[in-house]
Every structure is written in C-alpha cells, then in structure tokens.
C-alpha cells in the first residue's frame, strides 16, 4: 500500500478526532501492523524450525533461500502475496524486486535477467500469463543463460478471475517443463529445483499453483537464505537471441531436442513418486497432482482405502516408462486432476502408443467433473464409483427453513468509486441517457459497480478491454459509449486502445477512476505513485498529462467527493463529441485510513433522527454498506462507517440529516 | 479420531484468519501438523468468509460434507448457511450477534429472526455453545478480540484437550501479538475458554 507520501489534496483538519471508537481503530491499526510484521519476518525465519506459512509466503522465502537475483510481477489474485512479501524482504539478500506495469513487461525483465546469467522468477495470476504470452512463446526458443521460472497462479472455480483457464496447457504449448506443487513446503522445494533445472538445460521452467495451493497454510521448514547478485553479464551471441526465420527454425530443432533430453536425463523420481496408501493395492491406481493429491490422500486415509497413488509433481514432459508400468500394474486406473484433463490426455496417449489396452477413468467418463475445483466430496464419490464401495456418510440433520441473506462483495465504506458511480448514474439520469448508454467496464474494485444499485457496467473481457470494446461500440450502435477504467489498469493495457480511438476519430467518453493504487489485489504500487511502502522513490506518471499529450483535447479532472460539481462536469462531458476523458481522482479509502489513523484522526457519521425525512436516498441510491434501515429508521453502523462524509452531502441527504459525530 | 477438522465461518473483517492462524501455530508448537485454507482477494470486507482447518495427519484443509468436528460460527446466519458441512454431534460454537448486510436494506434478500434461528439450532444439535462473543470481547477490553474469544472457546472443548494443550495456545497468542495487545487478548482467550471448558453444551 502507498505509504501516504503521495500528496493528498483533501484536508481532513475540519474534522475533530472521534473519541468513542478511537480505541477500536487504534487496535485495528495494530492488527494491520501484525500482518506487515509477519511479512517482514519471512526474511528472518530460523533455519530448521517449523513455521505455519502460506504457500505464497513459502515461495517468497524460497526465492531468498535460492539466491534469486531478480523477481518481477504484476499483482493478481491468487499470486499477490508473493510480491507483497518480496517487496518488504528483498533487501535481506539484495534481490531486485519490481512491480512492473504489466505481466508482459514483468516477464521480459525476468527474461533479460536470465539472459544475463542471473536467476530470475516472475509470477502472475493465470490470466496474467496471457498478457506475457507473446514474449513467453519465444522464450523457450531463445533459452536462458541463467535461470528463469514463471509461476502461474491458476484460479479453478474462479474465486477472483474472469475465467478458469488451465495454464498447464501453456507449458506444452510453449515447450516449458512444468512443476505442480501441492503444499507450501513442496512449492518451496520445487521452486529451488525448477531454478536448477532451468540452469542445467538453459530453458525457462514453469510452476503452476492453484488458489487452494497458493492460499494453503501449512508447516514449512526454512533453510538458510542466500545472497543475490544484480550485476549480470549478457553474452552477445551474434543473432542467437533473434528468432528471425532462419534462426528460429534452428532454435525449434534445438528446443525439441532439449525437451527430449529433459525427459530422458532429468531425474524426476523425487517429484513423481508412488505412494502405497494403506499398504497399497495392485487393484487401484490413482494418478493425481496438485491440490487433488491432497484430497486423494485425506479421503484414502479417512476411509482406509488401499491404493497406489502416483503423485505427479513434474507433469511435463511426462516420463513414458514410469506411466506405462503403472498402467500395466493396476487393474483400475483413475486420473484425478483439476480443471482440464491435461495429465489424463497425456496418459491416454502414452497408453495408446505403448499398446496398453486399459480403460483410464477421469474427466472424460465423468468420474471427475470437467470444470471447477475438486474437493474431498468429489474424490470420495469418484473412488466410491471406482471401487464399487459405499462410504459412510455423516448424520447431517434437517433444520427449519430460514432466509439466507446475500453478502455479495461490495465496495468498502468510504470508497471513492461509490461517489463516482453516484455522479455518473445521476448525470446519465439527468441527461435522459439512463439505460441509453453503453458502459464497457474493466478489471478492478470498480468492476463491482455492476452490482445493485449502481448497475454500472455492460461488458468486460480482460484488463484494458473497456477502451478497446468502446472503440467498436462507438461505431456500431447509437448509444453514447462510456468506458470505465482504473489507474493501474489504465497503464497496464489501455494505452494502445486510447491511441486507436483518437487516431480513428471515435466518439466516446473515457472515465478513469484514479484511486492512486492497485486496490483490488491489496493496494500495491501503481504508476501514479511516487513512493512505496518501503519508502523507495519512483517517478510518478500523470494520467491527465498523458491523455493531453497523446491528443485528447477535452480532459476533465475532479474529486468524486465533490458530487454536485462532478455531476455538472460529467453532463458537460457526455454532451460533447469525439474522444473525451474524465478523471475522478481520490485515493482508495484504505490508504486514506492508514494515513489518517496514523495521525490519530478518526471520523464517524451518524443519522440525526430529528432531521431525517426518510426519503431513503442514502440507502437506495448511495448505498454505502455502513448505512442500513430498520423499518423506517435509517442508521449508520459505527463499526463499518469510515467517516468519509460523502453521504452527508446535501445532494445525497437533502435535509443534511447525516452529521459528523465528535 | 486422528485429525480434528475445524470449520470457521463469518463475515470478512471479523478476524477469522487470525483465529485459524493462532490455532495452527499452537498445533505446530505441539509438534502436530496443521493445514488451513484462506481466502484473499476481491472485496472481502463484509463478504462471506469460510476458513477450514485440519490438525493431525491431513494434507488438505477442505472438510467433506458433514465432517466438521468443530464449528466456529462467528455469525449466526453464516453458520446456518453452512449447515450441510457439520453434523448432529459436531461441537458448534455460535456467536449470537447477527451482522445484517446492507443488501437487506435495498431489498436484496432478508435476514432471519435470530432468536428463531438459534432456537432451531438448539432443537437439532447435541453440542451447541451459544456465546455473546462481542460482549465478552468488550469485557476483555476491545471488540476486535472477539476472534481470540473463539480461540479460547475452541481450546476449552473436550476434544481439544488431547490435541492442543491450553498452554500451547497461550504461547501462540504470546508469539502472535505485540506486547501492548497481549493482555487484552489473553483475557479474551480465558473468557472464551471458561465458556466451553468441561461442559457438554452451553446454551445461554
Ligand atoms: S460517512 Fe457515510 S458514506 Fe462515508 S463511510 Fe460513513 S456511512 Fe459510508
Ligand atoms: S438521505 Fe438523509 S433524509 Fe434521506 S433517508 Fe438518508 S439520512 Fe434520511
């Protein structure tokens, strides 16, 4: 999170500190510090002792232990904590850590380190790998002089992603060896091994985690930390690093040869091992990887299932002989893996090519679902079907029927986006354009604008897609087009789209919700910031002058908490033609809190029941989660209220019944 | 029983992860294995949060249907939502304080009557502990210690005696919190501990 050294243009001095809840807030801060401290502690863990760590924390620790020199990322759930830890512990070993502008740049920086005889890692969420893809596809052709490991954090069941693509497919597609850890300790060991493999065969290596592994906390035994070195040496190799057709063809031959050698020479027995659970059985053979292995183990132990389990930790390229003999030695074989049938398909091919006539159960015959994450119940059902055995079930009693309230993810109390949505929705309504405008939205907290009551957002593909699709909508249909983007996403992927819109004379109003941080993933650095958590300085990039500089004549900027003028400005901008832009700039409430609370300032608003006219505007149109109604009475939950004061403006509460508590 | 399975449920911001981490660290101090699932990402504050944990010989924290040994229900309606995940004989600790989401104010869904809901729990479960954790936390000196009240309540359960000793949990709390927050958290721990200790259920 931003340290607050970014200038805040808004003064809070008019408010007096609240005494009633200060203690509560003081301790909330102290709790936040606990978390930050524990990230720092990852650099100081004692070797040989046992710790309860998140896989992402263990990965960051492994980077220190294996003397990684360079680590780059663009934040994305479920990979973000790796960067959060490295950002505060990098100096322990002298590692160079960077939040890059997007995953492609992050990947390219890591690749350049690997070409300079350094050890590099780059990590991102699964869809982030798509952004890096263009360069990633050529990386194995060119190869490495040092080491490069790409960590892809996949998100089966889409807890915080737009799709559940299985990036193990990319390993085969791009010709990268692939590791799949199941636990924090294994992720740690595998990262170290992957770096060695990369160095030994001069090839980038991929490691795939999934949400349930990335966010699994378990026991880890750390080792000594190493020492990073950031002065590499690039060997000029006369076009060897340039995949012009003539060279690219040679590189492809070398690459396939490398993969063959890895399959043959690389000893994978440590990673693809056979476990004989409950003394094993030649009747039942289970092939599994990643998180699914954990479910298989737990279910087998719980119900005393005797089975041989081949745990695949190194899943590409698969060693043929190991698989063939496992297939031959077991009567019933099932493959249990998550998302796509990647290992299952590979094994089916191996069976076919080795004339092994055996039915392989798994996803294709419905033993395991074709989508979403696995879990103990799925594995239990599959094994029950495979073994033709009924497992005990628990006595789960029926209860009376009750309503279940919904708790969708919502913008935080005090969030500036809420005011921006209120402005835009009011502006569109006043201009008679409500429901007569197209709003391509983008990826960030503000995606939640699609929820009631704002319902602001019509289409979303990927990072930066709001402006790209807006280019098209402005041409192919009649409603005004209002694409929305946040500051970090703006720099990540929106610039070519804007240039395209200007160059082709499109007609749209680009809305930039600048909250001065990469908020959704936990408040990491954004290119608009000058200083980070650790006090490091950066050159801030100004969105207003960027837009002006590339040729947008009408660029507006306003604090979204100035709701009344915001609506006026928005109406003006929407009535114009051509490419225009409006920037709503106000920092994320979580940053404001941090800065304000550190200065001892706490604010709280409450409804003066004598003044409230029960119009319900604050509840139904502004809808801060802290405001609620009980019958006709409107109240503010003091534990949720952030004290931002946005709801107290007469444009939200006409009789000014919402008052600051002092 | 070789492993103890604990299901935590509540609303983002209640300190669910803190409760789990403290218990897990205590398990490690006792030379036991522990695994725990966490949720991070997309606007968690005010959203549903479930954490699952196993102590003992287990690789995945995810608990199969009905199998939870202990339920830490930090919010009544969230505990109800997960009723398929525990069974008649699970030890169920429920905070009696509802957190009504703002969505009910804008006509999205509704919140059940808490007393009826809790009475319904009383009818079917054998080992139920209803606690006013927020009140106990305030007694300890601060509402945010509610998550440690729950750690105390879990530690007081009979089945925990042979798994993690009270002393290990106290040590984990000492390791986890800076000294200025230690006293109130230890107080919160004991307030929770006394509620469940040596009792088969405690309906208040
Ligand atoms: S002041 Fe109003 S809008 Fe701001 S957090 Fe409190 S209740 Fe919500
Ligand atoms: S906007 Fe003001 S007057 Fe209207 S219901 Fe809310 S608090 Fe009452």
């Amino acid at each position: 999170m931003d340290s607050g050294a970014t200038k805040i243009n808004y003064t809070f001095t008019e408010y007096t500190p609240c005494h009633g809840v200060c203690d509560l807030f003081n301790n909330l801060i102290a709790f936040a510090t606990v978390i930050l401290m524990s990230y720092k502690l990852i650099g100081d863990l004692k070797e040989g002792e046992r710790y309860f760590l998140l896989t992402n924390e263990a990965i960051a620790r492994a980077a220190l232990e294996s003397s990684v020199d360079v680590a780059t990322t663009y934040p994305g759930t479920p990979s973000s904590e790796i960067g959060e830890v490295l950002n505060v512990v990098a100096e322990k070993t002298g590692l160079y850590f960077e939040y890059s502008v997007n995953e492609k740049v992050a990947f390219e920086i890591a690749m350049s380190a690997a070409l300079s005889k350094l050890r590099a890692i780059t990590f991102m969420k699964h869809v982030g790998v798509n952004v890096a893809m263009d360069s990633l596809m050529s990386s194995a052709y060119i190869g490495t002089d040092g080491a490069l490991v790409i960590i892809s954090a996949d998100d089966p069941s889409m807890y915080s992603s737009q799709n559940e693509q299985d990036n193990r497919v990319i390993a085969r597609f791009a010709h990268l060896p692939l590791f799949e850890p199941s636990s924090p300790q294994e992720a740690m060991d595998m990262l170290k091994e992957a770096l060695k493999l990369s160095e030994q065969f001069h090839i980038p290596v991929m490691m795939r985690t999934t949400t349930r592994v990335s966010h699994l906390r378990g026991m880890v035994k750390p080792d000594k930390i190493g020492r990073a070195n950031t002065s590499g040496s690039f060997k000029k190799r006369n076009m060897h690093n340039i995949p012009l057709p003539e060279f690219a063809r040679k590189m492809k031959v070398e690459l396939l040869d490398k993969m063959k050698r890895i399959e043959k020479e690389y000893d994978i027995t440590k990673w693809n091992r056979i476990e004989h659970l409950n003394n094993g059985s030649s009747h039942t053979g289970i092939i599994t990887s990643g998180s699914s292995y954990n479910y298989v183990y737990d279910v087998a132990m719980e119900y005393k299932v005797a089975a041989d389990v081949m745990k695949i930790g190194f899943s590409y390229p698969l060693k043929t002989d190991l698989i063939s003999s496992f297939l031959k030695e077991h009567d019933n074989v099932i493959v249990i893996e998550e998302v796509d049938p990647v290992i299952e398909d590979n094994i089916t091919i191996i069976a076919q090519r080795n004339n092994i006539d055996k039915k392989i159960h798994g996803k294709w015959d419905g033993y395991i679902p074709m989508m979403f994450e696995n879990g103990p119940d799925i594995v239990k059902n599959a094994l029950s079907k495979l073994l033709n055995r009924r497992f005990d079930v628990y006595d789960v009693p029926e209860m009376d029927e009750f309503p279940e309230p919904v708790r969708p993810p919502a913008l935080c109390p005090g969030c500036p986006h809420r005011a921006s949505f209120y402005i835009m929705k009011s502006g569109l309504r006043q201009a008679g354009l409500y429901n007569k405008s197209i709003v391509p939205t983008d990826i960030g907290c503000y995606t939640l604008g699609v929820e009631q009551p704002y319902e602001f957002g019509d289409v979303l593909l990927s990072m930066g897609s709001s402006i790209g699709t807006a280019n098209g909508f402005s041409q192919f249909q009649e409603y005004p087009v209002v694409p929305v983007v946040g500051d970090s996403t703006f720099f990540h992927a929106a610039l070519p789209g804007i240039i395209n819109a200007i160059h082709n004379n499109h007609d749209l109003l680009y809305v930039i919700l600048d909250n001065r941080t990469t908020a959704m993933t936990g408040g990491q650095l954004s290119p608009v910031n000058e200083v980070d958590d650790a006090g490091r300085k950066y050159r801030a990039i100004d969105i207003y002058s960027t837009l002006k500089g590339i040729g947008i004549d009408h660029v507006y900027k306003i604090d979204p908490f100035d709701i009344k003028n915001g609506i006026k400005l928005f109406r003006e901008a929407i009535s114009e033609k051509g490419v225009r832009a409006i920037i709503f700039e106000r920092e994320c409430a979580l940053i404001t809190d941090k800065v304000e609370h550190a200065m001892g300032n706490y604010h709280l608003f409450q409804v003066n029941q004598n003044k409230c006219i029960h119009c319900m505007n604050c509840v139904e149109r502004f809808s801060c989660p802290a405001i609620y109604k009980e019958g006709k009475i409107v109240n503010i939950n003091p534990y949720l209220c952030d004290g931002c004061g946005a709801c107290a403006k007469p444009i939200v509460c006409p009789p000014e019944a919402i008052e600051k508590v002092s | 029983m070789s492993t103890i399975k604990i299901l935590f449920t509540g609303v983002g911001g209640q300190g669910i992860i803190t409760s789990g981490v403290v218990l897990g660290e205590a398990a490690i101090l006792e030379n036991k294995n522990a695994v725990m699932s966490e949720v991070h990402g997309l606007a968690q504050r005010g959203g549903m949060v479930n954490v699952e944990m196993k102590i003992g010989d287990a690789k995945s924290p995810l608990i199969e249907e009905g199998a939870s040994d202990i339920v830490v229900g930090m919010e009544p309606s969230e505990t109800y939502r997960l009723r398929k995940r525990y069974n008649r004989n699970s030890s169920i600790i429920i905070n009696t304080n509802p957190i009504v989401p703002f969505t009910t104010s804008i006509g999205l869904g509704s919140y059940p009557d808490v007393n009826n809901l809790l009475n319904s729990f009383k009818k079917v479960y054998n080992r139920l502990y209803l606690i006013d954790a927020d009140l106990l936390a305030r007694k300890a000196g601060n509402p945010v210690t509610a998550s440690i009240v729950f750690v105390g309540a879990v530690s007081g359960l009979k089945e925990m005696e042979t798994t993690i000793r009270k002393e290990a949990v106290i040590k984990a709390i000492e390791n986890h919190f800076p000294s200025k927050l230690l006293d109130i958290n230890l107080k919160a721990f004991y307030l929770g501990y006394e509620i469940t200790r040596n009792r088969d259920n405690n309906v208040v």
Side-chain angles (χ1 to χ4, degrees):
Chain A
M1 225 170 277
D2 197 273
S3 72
T6 0
K7 274 177 224 79
I8 315 166
N9 305 321
Y10 328 101
T11 58
F12 288 85
T13 40
E14 57 194 277
Y15 304 147
T16 49
C18 152
H19 298 292
V21 287
C22 279
D23 270 347
L24 166 67
F25 284 121
N26 260 327
N27 284 295
L28 282 178
I29 292 185
F31 273 71
T33 334
V34 171
I35 294 167
L36 201 67
M37 267 171 34
S38 79
Y39 280 166
K40 264 227 169 90
L41 284 177
I42 305 287
D44 301 321
L45 305 179
K46 291 198 203 78
E47 47 177 307
E49 298 229 350
R50 302 173 319 148
Y51 293 90
F52 196 42
L53 296 190
L54 213 54
T55 293
N56 281 345
E57 294 171 345
I59 289 175
R61 172 73 193 189
L64 299 185
E65 291 180 9
S66 50
S67 302
V68 164
D69 304 310
V70 173
T72 59
T73 190
Y74 180 81
T77 314
S79 76
S80 308
E81 297 80 15
I82 309 173
E84 282 174 7
V85 176
L86 285 179
N87 194 33
V88 291
V89 302
E91 66 204 25
K92 271 268 159 198
T93 62
L95 172 151
Y96 176 81
F97 171 73
E98 179 182 295
Y99 279 122
S100 306
V101 73
N102 65 25
E103 293 85 352
K104 183 167 185 282
V105 175
F107 179 86
E108 286 154 356
I109 292 171
M111 182 70 186
S112 72
L115 285 172
S116 308
K117 294 209 175 79
L118 298 178
R119 295 192 129 191
I121 62 171
T122 181
F123 42 94
M124 51 202 72
K125 68 183 293 170
H126 59 338
V127 289
V129 177
N130 300 346
V131 178
M133 208 57 184
D134 210 354
S135 290
L136 183 140
M137 286 305 292
S138 320
S139 66
Y141 281 58
I142 288 163
T144 61
D145 287 330
L148 174 59
V149 177
I150 305 119
I151 301 166
S152 166
D154 291 9
D155 190 17
S157 285
M158 301 164 273
Y159 287 96
S160 34
S161 311
Q162 65 267 40
N163 74 33
E164 66 164 0
Q165 64 186 55
D166 188 332
N167 278 7
R168 294 177 303 167
V169 173
I170 291 176
R172 179 174 164 178
F173 193 33
H175 304 286
L176 309 176
L178 174 68
F179 285 91
E180 288 186 59
S182 304
S183 68
Q185 182 68 55
E186 209 173 46
M188 201 169 194
D189 299 341
M190 279 184 181
L191 176 59
K192 294 177 185 174
E193 181 71 17
L195 287 158
K196 279 192 211 144
L197 175 67
S198 175
E199 263 158 5
Q200 188 187 340
F201 290 92
H202 302 287
I203 190 167
V205 176
M206 189 158 152
M207 180 160 105
R208 180 237 199 183
T209 61
T210 55
T211 301
R212 290 295 182 181
V213 174
S214 311
H215 292 161
L216 169 64
R217 197 178 278 278
M219 219 172 60
V220 169
K221 262 195 198 158
D223 214 328
K224 275 202 297 294
I225 59 169
R227 189 78 221 140
N229 159 32
T230 48
S231 57
S233 64
F234 176 73
K235 190 161 124 218
K236 287 168 90 69
R237 280 188 303 188
N238 199 18
M239 300 220 236
H240 190 89
N241 300 325
I242 312 285
L244 275 171
E246 183 191 342
F247 302 103
R249 285 183 205 115
K250 271 195 207 130
M251 289 175 189
K252 178 81 191 252
V253 174
E254 278 169 27
L255 174 57
L256 292 195
D257 182 57
K258 241 184 228 179
M259 287 308 268
K260 274 227 177 70
R261 266 176 42 224
I262 291 172
E263 198 188 319
K264 258 223 209 84
E265 294 164 24
Y266 178 57
D267 181 12
I268 51 147
T269 41
K270 190 172 165 202
W271 312 107
N272 294 2
R273 58 174 194 262
I274 296 169
E275 292 178 4
H276 306 285
L277 298 186
N278 299 304
N279 295 325
S281 156
S282 62
H283 184 68
T284 313
I286 306 172
I287 301 176
T288 182
S289 77
S291 205
S292 300
Y293 160 76
N294 297 339
Y295 311 135
V296 167
Y297 180 89
D298 285 3
V299 171
M301 295 320 264
E302 182 85 34
Y303 296 97
K304 311 247 170 326
V305 176
D308 287 344
V309 175
M310 182 188 273
K311 185 208 181 291
I312 302 212
F314 183 74
S315 64
Y316 191 77
L318 267 186
K319 246 194 178 57
T320 308
D321 45 357
L322 200 76
I323 302 289
S324 325
S325 47
F326 192 82
L327 290 177
K328 284 184 199 146
E329 285 159 13
H330 295 89
D331 306 332
N332 285 308
V333 175
I334 184 168
V335 183
I336 304 182
E337 64 188 312
E338 230 157 32
V339 192
D340 291 343
V342 179
I343 296 177
E344 188 178 334
D345 287 358
N346 261 334
I347 286 176
T348 311
I349 294 168
I350 292 175
Q352 204 273 340
R353 288 183 45 232
N354 290 280
N355 298 318
I356 303 168
D357 184 17
K358 180 147 297 167
K359 180 140 182 53
I360 292 159
H361 299 288
K363 287 181 177 273
W364 287 113
D365 62 0
Y367 277 63
I368 300 292
M370 266 292 178
M371 62 186 102
F372 308 146
E373 67 175 10
N374 290 335
D377 293 306
I378 288 173
V379 170
K380 192 177 164 190
N381 286 339
L383 293 186
S384 152
K385 217 164 142 184
L386 185 78
L387 305 172
N388 206 359
R389 176 180 151 188
R390 285 175 82 103
F391 294 119
D392 295 344
V393 290
Y394 288 86
D395 176 12
V396 177
E398 282 299 318
M399 268 183 86
D400 301 333
E401 284 285 324
F402 289 98
E404 294 179 25
V406 291
R407 299 182 198 270
L411 298 171
C412 299
C415 175
H417 296 330
R418 178 172 294 104
S420 302
F421 289 131
Y422 188 85
I423 289 172
M424 293 190 281
K425 206 166 162 177
S426 307
L428 288 173
R429 202 180 276 122
Q430 287 176 15
L433 290 170
Y434 182 55
N435 266 337
K436 286 193 177 129
S437 53
I438 305 279
V439 181
T441 187
D442 227 303
I443 294 184
C445 289
Y446 51 89
T447 316
L448 297 173
V450 299
E451 308 255 359
Q452 280 185 30
Y454 321 109
E455 295 167 310
F456 211 77
D458 292 315
V459 62
L460 170 64
L461 295 172
S462 64
M463 289 285 285
S465 71
S466 63
I467 184 70
T469 50
N471 273 262
F473 287 124
S474 76
Q475 291 300 299
F476 312 134
Q477 58 81 49
E478 57 182 319
Y479 290 157
V481 184
V482 190
V484 177
V485 75
D487 50 315
S488 189
T489 308
F490 172 86
F491 289 109
H492 176 285
L495 289 167
I498 306 165
I499 289 167
N500 193 72
I502 301 168
H503 182 65
N504 290 295
N505 301 313
H506 291 321
D507 179 23
L508 53 89
L509 170 57
Y510 200 20
V511 176
I512 295 107
L513 303 175
D514 179 0
N515 66 355
R516 320 300 292 163
T517 186
T518 311
M520 187 169 66
T521 46
Q524 294 84 358
L525 201 70
S526 153
V528 297
N529 300 135
E530 271 177 325
V531 184
D532 72 6
D533 265 354
R536 281 181 289 259
K537 291 232 163 30
Y538 300 84
R539 169 98 179 244
I541 315 289
D542 180 47
I543 296 179
Y544 182 90
S545 40
T546 304
L547 291 171
K548 277 277 185 195
I550 54 179
I552 304 183
D553 299 327
H554 294 200
V555 184
Y556 306 94
K557 179 165 152 183
I558 191 159
D559 173 0
F561 277 13
D562 185 355
I563 300 179
K564 203 168 146 207
N565 289 319
I567 296 174
K568 234 167 77 196
L569 200 67
F570 181 78
R571 282 201 58 183
E572 200 176 310
I574 192 107
S575 67
E576 292 166 348
K577 288 275 157 237
V579 178
R580 322 67 99 191
I582 181 164
I583 304 164
F584 290 108
E585 183 191 303
R586 188 182 186 87
E587 67 184 3
C588 170
L590 300 186
I591 299 180
T592 312
D593 287 357
K594 211 165 129 184
V595 179
E596 284 287 299
H597 296 177
M599 297 191 299
N601 297 337
Y602 302 91
H603 315 293
L604 174 66
F605 282 74
Q606 289 288 286
V607 178
N608 180 338
Q609 301 299 343
N610 297 326
K611 284 194 186 169
C612 175
I613 55 168
H614 312 289
C615 66
M616 298 300 154
N617 194 50
C618 61
V619 176
E620 284 160 11
R621 288 197 169 164
F622 196 71
S623 305
C624 169
I627 309 177
Y628 64 98
K629 68 170 192 222
E630 270 173 323
K632 261 177 72 177
I633 307 295
V634 175
N635 265 318
I636 291 178
N637 179 338
Y639 293 116
L640 286 178
C641 174
D642 182 61
C644 73
C647 62
K649 316 244 168 193
I651 195 132
V652 178
C653 176
E656 298 186 62
I658 300 180
E659 296 171 346
K660 189 165 56 65
V661 180
S662 50
Chain B
M1 202 183 325
S2 61
T3 64
I4 291 231
K5 311 180 186 83
I6 312 177
L7 173 69
F8 300 78
T9 177
V11 171
Q14 287 192 294
I16 295 187
I17 293 185
T18 308
S19 308
V21 169
V22 168
L23 282 170
E25 285 175 351
I28 287 182
L29 289 173
E30 290 278 50
N31 261 322
K32 295 232 156 64
N33 177 56
V35 274
M36 169 177 162
S37 71
E38 294 187 9
V39 271
H40 296 263
L42 203 65
Q44 296 294 351
R45 260 211 235 172
M48 306 175 279
V49 175
N50 308 325
V51 163
E52 297 171 52
M53 174 173 222
K54 287 185 197 154
I55 298 168
D57 180 28
K59 307 264 187 209
S60 160
L62 300 195
I63 301 169
E64 69 175 276
E65 203 173 295
S68 309
D69 298 307
I70 298 171
V71 178
V72 178
M74 298 204 185
E75 204 283 334
S77 75
E78 290 308 315
T79 315
Y80 175 72
R81 199 194 300 280
L82 295 193
R83 61 196 176 281
K84 292 275 174 268
R85 311 288 305 281
Y86 44 90
N87 61 64
R88 204 178 288 280
N89 298 314
S90 307
S91 296
I92 306 168
I93 305 163
I94 305 182
N95 185 3
T96 52
N97 296 287
I99 298 179
V100 180
F102 77 104
T103 44
T104 58
S105 293
I106 57 170
L108 280 174
S110 60
Y111 197 92
D113 180 278
V114 184
N115 289 326
N116 290 345
L117 179 62
L118 295 176
N119 280 330
S120 176
F121 271 108
K122 286 182 204 166
K123 275 194 286 185
V124 283
Y125 296 103
N126 296 329
R127 303 189 63 208
L128 185 67
Y129 304 85
L130 299 182
I131 69 174
D132 187 340
D134 297 5
L135 182 82
L136 294 178
R138 274 198 300 276
K139 248 196 212 165
N142 197 301
V144 294
T145 59
S147 59
I148 300 303
V149 171
F150 284 105
V151 170
V154 170
S155 307
L157 292 169
K158 262 204 193 94
E159 55 266 49
M160 289 301 285
E161 259 168 38
T162 50
T163 310
I164 306 177
R165 281 166 305 162
K166 184 180 81 182
E167 292 69 28
V169 184
I170 290 172
K171 186 94 192 47
I173 293 175
E174 286 169 359
N175 289 347
H176 200 83
F177 293 102
S179 49
K180 69 170 181 172
L181 293 176
L182 194 57
D183 280 353
I184 56 166
N185 279 298
L186 286 177
K187 216 166 147 197
F189 171 84
Y190 279 110
L191 287 169
Y193 182 78
E194 288 304 328
I195 290 236
T196 53
R197 193 171 68 116
N198 299 330
R199 287 184 211 169
D200 261 345
N201 64 54
N202 184 73
V203 175
V204 289

